[in-house]
Every structure is written in structure tokens, then in C-alpha cells.
Amino acid sequence: MEITENSRYGSDQRERVINPELFGLISGGLMIDTIIWEDRQKTNHQEAASCVHILDQTKLPLETVYLECTHWEQVADAISRMCIRGAPAIGVAAAMGVALGAQGSKAEDFSELSKELEVICQGLSKTRPTAVNLFWALDKMRRAAESMGNLTIAQIKERLRDKAVQMWQEDIDICRRIGKHGADLIPEGASILTHCNAGALATAGYGTALGVVRAAHSQGKNIRVYADETRPFLQGARLTAWELHQEGIPVTLITDNMAGHFMSRGKISVIVVGADRIAANGDVANKIGTYTVAVLARENGIPFYVAAPRSTLDLSLSSGADIPIEERDPNEVTHFHGYPIAPAGVVAAHPAFDVTPARYVTAIITEDGISRPPYNESLAK
Amino acid sequence: MEITENSRYGSDQRERVINPELFGLISGGLMIDTIIWEDRQKTNHQEAASCVHILDQTKLPLETVYLECTHWEQVADAISRMCIRGAPAIGVAAAMGVALGAQGSKAEDFSELSKELEVICQGLSKTRPTAVNLFWALDKMRRAAESMGNLTIAQIKERLRDKAVQMWQEDIDICRRIGKHGADLIPEGASILTHCNAGALATAGYGTALGVVRAAHSQGKNIRVYADETRPFLQGARLTAWELHQEGIPVTLITDNMAGHFMSRGKISVIVVGADRIAANGDVANKIGTYTVAVLARENGIPFYVAAPRSTLDLSLSSGADIPIEERDPNEVTHFHGYPIAPAGVVAAHPAFDVTPARYVTAIITEDGISRPPYNESLAK
């Protein structure tokens, strides 16, 4: 990957607007990259250093701003504040965070570096609890580092950087395979309801649920997407509608509470959502409201598909009851862009995810194909 | 009802902040009146005239502003723009609109006045299509006027004013009776989920669904309300949370897409909502999202109650399929207080209501008592 405008960067400049075209198109047709790794060369003005550019999704669609992270703590902060979100994207960001932390290390031997990496992994692991891809990515990086005891510090730093970039590139490939498998489930003329954003922005590129949509669209199928706006963060309105609108895939934005109405009126033919963690029995944790969509789907006889990479499977958990559900700040419910929408002092709740029991899930689409119930058997394969 | 500060009013002043205490407390414990009829005496500064004060609910909870309507067209506009909303409140506003229009008439005989009233009724009837209380109220006013052929114009104006004020007062009484009947269905310690605002603000006072909540609370029951925020207008966040918070009834605000999560976790023991129109078979049109709540309730074995005055019944319709569903401006979905939350140019849908089939409705609470299935029989009584 090439970054052509290094000279424009100042190391103290954490937030800036960039022209995404300068970064090349690596995300499979999207005009915008979710996350970018940059190797900075030594110049007269700065030391050699690495930088992770993270598209600040809290500002979309009104502003396209990249956060410039030169320390792993900035990556952790970007994950915590949902500047980057979506299980696969969080995984890639965490891997890049570890690699970035390694680059910045002053450790002089393997033991010292290992201790630093453990601190970094611990720090990144505390950012968000539900998406298992975060822990999966940290585990991969941790194991990779552990196997490098015979290398020099410089070599380890380079290998960890390569590993993170490889996971980023693989994620795009995985999404394309998910899309290909999933597209077979989308009939010509389908109206596809989706919840939240499981798109290019939720991954390194292309998307999981929206990867299925993109693949069906690129096969020439005449489809329309109904996008739940997905309160309180409005990922559907701000991100899903934006991605699809940019690519000319027909999309209708609705509030979350309209999904049932359109299902009951026969307007929705299929549902595809992403996932943040899937237990061994097929229970699916995903953005708050997914359970509701699934119940409505079954009530109306509409297939409900979950699209996610294998890295979202957590076969160590026998059911969704064991998946930790993140509780976020209630102010994210009571305020909109700093503007209060509820009376001062009112109590609000903000569970960020819910669990959809496997009995509502028609099939799970991974890069390896389509899994159907009973999931204890099909997912184990 | 007494208005004590007439001297503060200027007839050209359509919007102003008033101290609600000056108007007396007529809404059953609420500090704020939804709608107020004022008879203005002739003074040195102004002619004798009438005025309808409508609390502008689009500005709550941040501002308490009353619209001052001296012409029926202003009342119609306030209904259209949802400054006053909620089926029973719309009915009262429409009745006051007719009375206000009559006061302003220059008609010299009954025939002329009748024609003017018909224009007024037609105009008011076009404001919103779904809540049947609007048409019910207009019909009542029309019939009242038709029976007054033997009275003078001045007498007719006075009688129509009395009729509208009577309907307003009766609405509060009806709500209290609904509350009393419904409270019997609320167990001690209940967590009550409600959608939208079927409160004092949706009626002349006290509320339907929130009337049930208020009555249970005043019986000393230890209850908590979960209020769906109710996108896109946020009646739950802005109005229901505000009403309950003011009165010290415990309330937790949630986004619409959290309701299913809390039901599945056993946090909700009973659901009470209002209605905009109920067909003879018990199908219920209510704020968009109500159908979803009802499906989730049945899936989780939670009773789903509808609280509404008899004036919300439309026995002329055999089922909910015949209820007209208002389609509102999609900009109300894509913008929040003028701030865009979706990319420019994205298509959005905005059905303002949905229909909950009677099979999901555990019981319907009216001022006459509790109706249970089969509704074709119980409602006809």
C-alpha cells in the first residue's frame, strides 16, 4: 500500500481531513478506507515511524476525517469511542495497535519487548467487551510475538507489522468470500433488510452483511436494501445508507421501529446482519435491536441470515448467555451530538448489544460457506 | 377555567412562553396543560375574542411554549405539525378549532354559518388521517351545530364553545376512568413498557396508557416505566420521560430497539400503549413501532394492553387493514432538529403508524372497563 503524501503529515496533528484517493483504493470498490497502515520514512523533519490512520466514523457522513495514531493508546481510544467499530474492523485495528506499539518500543531484548506487548494487549483488550474479534486478533498477535524469540528486535517489529497488515488484507479477502457465499441466498428482486452497519466500514473493506449485498448487486441482481437507522449511534443512517448510496445500490432508510411494519406488509424478502460474537450453539450477539429484527422475521416467515468471518465464532462459549454485553454511557441515548433529547436527569439504559437465540437464525454465512442448524454441529466443522 | 393574565396577551403574538400556573391546574396533577380555551373579554386594547392555547410539543422538553391560536386555521396547522398530537388531544383540538372558527364567523344566518362550519370541518379533517378521534370530534361538533337551527347566531357560538369545552373536560374524566380500570391489571412491583406518549400530553390531561400508570402509582404500587424513545419524533424521550420524571414516577428511557432485549431478559412485566384507531375486530393502529412491541410481547409471554377512550373505536371498519396509515415527510427521519443524520439524497420512508393485529392484544382498556377477545363481541358491547 502506498501513502504518497507523507510530507503533509505533522506528528502532533492527530486529526485531519485527507483526500482518500491519495491512499489508493484497497477496500474493494469503496472510495474510503476504514483503516490504513503507513510506514513513514525518515526525513529531515521526522524520525522513521509508523502511523495508523483511522477513519473517524463518529463524524460520518458529514465529515470524512482520519485520526492519525502514532501510539497504540490512540488506537485504543479510537476503538473505545467507536471511531472505528464493527467486529472485524475492531480486530484489524487491535492488531495494528499491537504492531504500532511494538514499533514505538525502546525494548532492548525479547523479554522486555514481550512484557511491553503484554501491557499493550491488556490495554487494547479493555476497549470493548463484546466483539470477540478483538480478543482473537490480540491473541494472534500475542502468539506471533511469542514465536519470535530467535529474532532481533528490529526483525520482530517488522514481522509484527507484516502480521497486522496481513490480517487487514485477509479480512478483505474473507469478506469477499462471505459475499460470494451469501449472494446465493439473495433472490433476484430481493428487498434486503439490514441492521446497524456490517459493511466496508465495519471491516477492512467490502463488509460482511453488506458484502453479501455487494456481491448480489455485482451479480446484476435487482435488489433494494432497507437500512434500519440503528439508534443510538445511527450506524444505519450514517454509515450503511452512506456506503450503499455512494455505490448506487438502492437503499431506503427507516427508523428501527418501522422494520416490523414493512415486514408485516410483505416489503422485506430477506434479512442479513453481521455479528459481534457467535456462540457454539449458534446464538448471535450483535448490535442492540438485532434480536427484535430476528423475532419479527420469524413471525413473518422471512429468512434471517447472519454474515460473519470465522473469527467471530467463539466456540468456547456454549451459548449466548455467556457473551458479555457492553453497557455504554446513557448520555449516548439522552443526547444527540451534544443536544439533549430527554429531560435533564432522566435515567436511560444503553446496552450496546443483544443476543439472538440460534432458533431465530436461518443460516450463518462465513468465508467457508453456509452453516445451518443444528449449529453445534455445523459451526464445529 | 380562569385565565388571569389576559392583559399580557397581544393578539399578534402567536408564540410565547407562559407560566402554566396562571392557567390553573386542570389536567389532574400535571403541571402543564396540553390545550386551553380562553374567552377574552373586550378591553380598551382589544375586541372580545376567543383563543386556543396549544402547548407546542415539538419544543418539549427543552422549552415550554404555547401557540396562541385565534383562527381555526392555526389550530389545523398545529395539529398537522404535531405541535399537539395523541388521538384524544387531536379530537379536543379539532372540537376547539370548530368552536374557534364559529366565534370568528361574520355569518348572519344559520345557513351561512352552517356553510362556514362545513369548510372549517373539512379543513380540520385534512390535518391527519389515522387518529379517528379527529373525525369523531368533528362529527360531534357538526351534529351539535345542525341541531341549533332555532337559536340565534350568538347562542350557537356560545353553545359550540360550551360543547368543545365540555368534550375537553370529559376527556380528562374518561382518562381517569381508563386509569382506574387499567390499574387493576398492573401488579405490585411491575415494570411497565410503553411506546410513544399516551400521556397527559396526548389527551386533555391524565393520559390513557400513562393514565393507567398514574392510577397504579397513586394506588401506592411500586412501579417503574420503561419508555421507548419512539423515533423519529421522540415522543417517548421528549414527552413520556418528561411527564413521568416531573411526577416522580420512576422511568428508564430506552431506544426503541432495546425493548426486545429487556423483554427477553425478563425486565418487563407488562406493556401498556395507547391507540389512534381500533377496528371492530380489535386490530389497533398506533404509533409506528407498536406492532413490533406487540410481537415481542407475545414472543416473551408478556401481556400487551391497549388503553384508549371509546372515541378511538371505529366499529365501521371490520379490520385494521382498512385504517389509513399516515405517510409523513421523510425529512423527519433523515434530519434531527434540522441537523442531517443521513447522507444527502438518501431515500427514507416515514409511515407514522402501524397496525397491530388483534391476536397480539391481551385486552383493550376503555372508560367502560376491560375488553378481551373476541373483540368483535366485547367491543360491540
Side-chain angles (χ1 to χ4, degrees):
Chain A
M1 198 217 119
E2 288 179 12
I3 304 287
T4 57
E5 283 232 327
N6 289 354
S7 60
R8 289 177 61 198
Y9 303 158
S11 61
D12 58 343
Q13 183 188 357
R14 270 207 67 220
E15 190 177 281
R16 68 216 163 71
V17 178
I18 57 172
N19 181 346
E21 292 181 5
L22 299 176
F23 290 85
L25 305 179
I26 58 95
S27 57
L30 256 204
M31 291 301 290
I32 295 283
D33 294 322
T34 306
I35 187 167
I36 295 160
W37 177 276
E38 178 197 359
D39 292 314
R40 285 186 183 167
Q41 304 306 315
K42 185 175 174 167
T43 69
N44 290 343
H45 302 295
Q46 62 184 18
E47 290 298 303
S50 299
C51 182
V52 174
H53 300 269
I54 291 176
L55 178 57
D56 185 351
Q57 299 187 27
T58 65
K59 304 209 167 155
L60 287 174
L62 300 184
E63 290 178 72
T64 307
V65 174
Y66 280 80
L67 301 173
E68 195 172 319
C69 304
T70 51
H71 297 87
W72 71 266
E73 292 93 335
Q74 295 169 324
V75 175
D77 181 60
I79 297 172
S80 292
R81 293 193 295 117
M82 294 176 66
C83 301
I84 187 164
R85 29 62 54 199
I90 290 172
V92 170
M96 288 194 180
V98 173
L100 188 66
Q103 307 303 301
S105 171
K106 307 281 188 223
E108 293 185 353
D109 62 33
F110 181 72
S111 158
E112 204 182 331
L113 182 60
S114 293
K115 280 180 197 153
E116 283 188 32
L117 288 177
E118 192 46 39
V119 169
I120 293 167
C121 286
Q122 286 292 330
L124 285 162
S125 74
K126 284 174 186 147
T127 51
R128 299 197 68 195
T130 302
V132 76
N133 310 60
L134 172 70
F135 309 101
W136 167 87
L138 293 175
D139 202 45
K140 277 210 144 189
M141 295 299 283
R142 198 185 265 124
R143 284 193 204 185
E146 279 167 7
S147 71
M148 295 176 190
N150 57 338
L151 303 181
T152 66
I153 298 293
Q155 285 173 323
I156 295 174
K157 289 182 178 183
E158 190 181 340
R159 296 276 176 97
L160 287 176
R161 175 261 188 220
D162 290 347
K163 181 77 186 166
V165 170
Q166 181 197 343
M167 285 166 71
W168 168 51
Q169 289 165 336
E170 279 175 358
D171 189 65
I172 298 173
D173 179 57
I174 286 167
C175 285
R176 290 193 172 275
R177 285 155 64 197
I178 289 171
K180 193 162 174 295
H181 291 303
D184 294 342
L185 300 171
I186 306 298
E188 163 59 23
S191 283
I192 307 164
L193 179 86
T194 191
H195 188 71
C196 196
N197 172 268
L201 292 167
T203 61
Y206 203 69
T208 52
L210 294 193
V212 173
V213 167
R214 285 192 167 92
H217 180 70
S218 70
Q219 287 173 358
K221 285 177 182 160
N222 179 28
I223 56 173
R224 169 167 289 278
V225 174
Y226 280 77
D228 279 356
E229 65 173 6
T230 317
R231 280 279 294 150
F233 252 74
L234 296 167
Q235 292 95 332
R238 296 189 303 105
L239 309 179
T240 294
W242 182 75
E243 282 193 24
L244 298 175
H245 192 58
Q246 278 207 345
E247 294 184 37
I249 300 175
V251 57
T252 300
L253 176 64
I254 61 174
T255 60
D256 301 312
N257 59 23
M258 291 175 191
H261 171 72
F262 284 109
M263 289 191 220
S264 74
R265 300 258 159 153
K267 299 289 189 192
I268 309 294
S269 41
V270 54
I271 290 155
V272 190
V273 299
D276 287 81
R277 196 184 296 219
I278 302 173
N281 70 343
D283 289 355
V284 174
N286 191 45
K287 181 51 56 191
I288 188 74
T290 304
Y291 163 73
T292 290
V293 172
V295 168
L296 289 164
R298 199 175 68 169
E299 191 73 9
N300 288 283
I302 300 167
F304 178 88
Y305 300 120
V306 174
R310 270 202 333 248
S311 55
T312 303
L313 300 179
D314 184 355
L315 301 184
S316 75
L317 300 184
S318 60
S319 87
D322 301 325
I323 300 176
I325 298 296
E326 178 180 11
E327 291 285 335
R328 291 188 64 88
D329 187 343
N331 282 328
E332 293 174 350
V333 170
T334 55
H335 289 70
F336 178 80
H337 271 271
Y339 187 93
I341 59 171
V346 159
V347 172
H350 188 184
F353 300 92
D354 60 26
V355 174
T356 300
R359 65 180 180 278
Y360 298 103
V361 180
T362 310
I364 296 173
I365 308 159
T366 72
E367 62 270 38
D368 292 336
I370 315 285
S371 298
R372 294 189 181 268
Y375 292 111
N376 273 316
E377 293 171 21
S378 60
L379 293 180
K381 282 184 201 161
Chain B
M1 198 218 119
E2 288 179 13
I3 305 286
T4 57
E5 283 232 330
N6 288 355
S7 58
R8 288 177 61 197
Y9 304 157
S11 61
D12 57 343
Q13 182 188 359
R14 268 206 70 221
E15 191 178 280
R16 70 215 160 71
V17 178
I18 55 171
N19 180 347
E21 293 181 4
L22 298 176
F23 289 86
L25 305 178
I26 58 92
S27 56
L30 256 204
M31 291 302 290
I32 295 284
D33 293 323
T34 306
I35 188 167
I36 295 159
W37 177 276
E38 177 196 0
D39 292 314
R40 286 186 182 167
Q41 304 305 316
K42 184 173 173 167
T43 69
N44 289 342
H45 302 294
Q46 63 185 16
E47 289 299 302
S50 300
C51 182
V52 175
H53 301 270
I54 291 177
L55 178 57
D56 185 351
Q57 298 187 28
T58 66
K59 303 210 168 154
L60 286 175
L62 300 184
E63 290 178 71
T64 307
V65 174
Y66 280 80
L67 301 173
E68 196 171 319
C69 305
T70 51
H71 298 87
W72 71 267
E73 292 94 335
Q74 295 169 323
V75 176
D77 181 60
I79 297 172
S80 291
R81 293 193 297 117
M82 294 176 65
C83 301
I84 187 165
R85 28 62 53 199
I90 290 172
V92 171
M96 287 193 181
V98 173
L100 189 66
Q103 306 304 301
S105 170
K106 307 280 189 222
E108 293 185 354
D109 61 34
F110 180 73
S111 157
E112 203 181 331
L113 182 60
S114 294
K115 281 181 197 154
E116 283 187 33
L117 288 177
E118 192 46 39
V119 169
I120 293 166
C121 286
Q122 285 292 330
L124 285 162
S125 74
K126 285 174 185 148
T127 51
R128 300 198 66 196
T130 302
V132 76
N133 310 60
L134 173 70
F135 309 101
W136 167 87
L138 293 174
D139 202 47
K140 276 210 143 186
M141 294 300 284
R142 199 184 264 121
R143 286 194 204 183
E146 279 167 6
S147 71
M148 296 177 191
N150 57 340
L151 303 181
T152 66
I153 298 293
Q155 284 173 323
I156 295 174
K157 289 182 179 184
E158 191 181 340
R159 296 274 176 99
L160 288 176
R161 175 261 188 219
D162 291 347
K163 181 80 186 163
V165 170
Q166 180 198 346
M167 287 166 70
W168 169 52
Q169 290 165 335
E170 280 175 357
D171 188 64
I172 298 172
D173 179 57
I174 286 167
C175 286
R176 290 190 172 276
R177 285 155 62 197
I178 289 171
K180 192 161 176 294
H181 291 302
D184 294 342
L185 300 171
I186 306 299
E188 163 60 24
S191 282
I192 306 165
L193 180 86
T194 191
H195 188 72
C196 196
N197 173 267
L201 293 166
T203 61
Y206 203 70
T208 53
L210 294 194
V212 173
V213 167
R214 285 194 166 92
H217 179 71
S218 71
Q219 287 174 358
K221 285 177 183 162
N222 178 28
I223 56 173
R224 168 167 291 277
V225 174
Y226 280 77
D228 279 357
E229 65 174 6
T230 317
R231 282 278 294 150
F233 251 74
L234 296 169
Q235 293 95 331
R238 297 190 303 102
L239 309 179
T240 294
W242 182 75
E243 283 193 23
L244 297 175
H245 190 59
Q246 279 207 345
E247 294 184 37
I249 300 175
V251 56
T252 300
L253 175 64
I254 61 174
T255 60
D256 300 312
N257 58 22
M258 292 175 190
H261 171 72
F262 285 108
M263 288 190 221
S264 74
R265 301 257 159 153
K267 299 289 191 192
I268 310 294
S269 41
V270 54
I271 290 156
V272 189
V273 299
D276 287 82
R277 195 184 296 219
I278 302 173
N281 70 343
D283 289 354
V284 175
N286 191 43
K287 181 51 56 190
I288 188 74
T290 303
Y291 163 73
T292 289
V293 172
V295 168
L296 289 164
R298 200 176 66 169
E299 191 73 7
N300 288 283
I302 300 167
F304 179 88
Y305 299 120
V306 174
R310 270 201 336 246
S311 54
T312 302
L313 300 179
D314 185 353
L315 302 184
S316 75
L317 301 184
S318 60
S319 86
D322 301 324
I323 300 176
I325 298 296
E326 179 180 11
E327 291 284 338
R328 292 186 65 87
D329 188 343
N331 282 328
E332 293 174 350
V333 170
T334 56
H335 289 68
F336 177 79
H337 271 271
Y339 186 93
I341 60 171
V346 159
V347 172
H350 188 184
F353 300 91
D354 60 25
V355 174
T356 299
R359 65 181 181 278
Y360 298 103
V361 180
T362 310
I364 296 172
I365 308 159
T366 72
E367 63 268 40
D368 292 337
I370 314 285
S371 296
R372 294 188 182 268
Y375 292 112
N376 273 317
E377 293 172 22
S378 60
L379 293 179
K381 282 185 200 162

